[in-house]
Amino acid sequence: MENFNVYTYRRLRRAIGYLGVSLPVMLVLLSQFPFFKTQVQSSISYYYYTNLREIFTGTLCAVGLFLIRYKGHGNVSIWKNDNLLTNIAGFMAIGVALIPTSPNHPSEKVYTIIPYDAAFLGYLHYGFAAVLFGTFSILAINVFTIGQENQVNTPVSIINENNIYRFCGYSIILFLIMVPISAHCHRFKYATLLFEGLSLLVFGIAWLIKGRALGDKGKIGEKLYREANPNNTETGT
């Protein structure tokens, strides 16, 4: 039963990772097909107002439900409590999907059950997004790294999983800061889309590594997961 639970959690982690990595790629690639009558948007959020709306909202809702369904080991520290953090991230992802950003044009219709104007909903949307990515970074830096924190016998390689998690977590913070800055970049209209896509990319990579998407045997297991240490047991999220 224990092995079954481990592999079930790994599949769930990989599903979250693949969805995060694929969302911006799918939206941009499908925008190239005349069938969808959709141009590449300057932000992922603006795909809400295109014919690819269902892919945008559906993928985010799926990520949100997976995160809410995910049950880790918990922790007395709020900043390391995977149950709390994944629940927060899950609800924020659903909020980002269902509460749209402000439309570019008055003709674009806002579909929402919240009876407030588009400007307020736009602020709410980006508030959800900021909390979502902030929580992603905390998970990568504080929670994903728990599993190896007490191991001292096996040397740590530069591509050790904890180094990857920290790199992904701090990268999310950097890209999160760059999103509002890039919104004022008029020379490259897709700057915001780029940083949003990069944020989802490193988020997805962290979850894929945690889900052992590359496998954990041989050199990969030794370099990434320190599997050469017989006392290595997976803990944390």
Side-chain angles (χ1 to χ4, degrees), residues 81-104:
N81 189 314
D82 42 358
N83 285 332
L84 174 63
L85 292 170
T86 51
N87 282 338
I88 291 174
F91 284 112
M92 292 301 103
I94 294 174
V96 170
L98 301 183
I99 308 299
T101 186
S102 301
N104 276 325

Side-chain angles (χ1 to χ4, degrees), residues 194-207:
L194 174 63
F195 288 116
E196 290 173 340
L198 288 173
S199 297
L200 287 170
L201 173 64
V202 292
F203 154 76
I205 288 174
W207 278 90

Side-chain angles (χ1 to χ4, degrees), residues 22-83:
S22 64
L23 176 59
V25 176
M26 282 193 301
L27 292 174
V28 172
L29 287 180
L30 292 178
S31 298
Q32 310 303 314
F33 290 86
F35 173 80
F36 293 104
K37 299 180 180 179
T38 297
Q39 296 180 340
V40 176
Q41 302 297 298
S42 59
S43 168
I44 292 176
S45 297
Y46 285 130
Y47 276 96
Y48 177 91
Y49 297 103
T50 72
N51 291 325
L52 298 175
R53 179 190 302 109
E54 285 73 18
I55 293 177
F56 167 70
T57 58
T59 302
L60 281 177
C61 285
V63 170
L65 291 174
F66 283 150
L67 287 167
I68 294 170
R69 182 64 184 87
Y70 188 94
K71 300 299 179 185
H73 296 276
N75 197 292
V76 293
S77 170
I78 294 176
W79 304 106
K80 293 186 177 183
N81 189 314
D82 42 358
N83 285 332

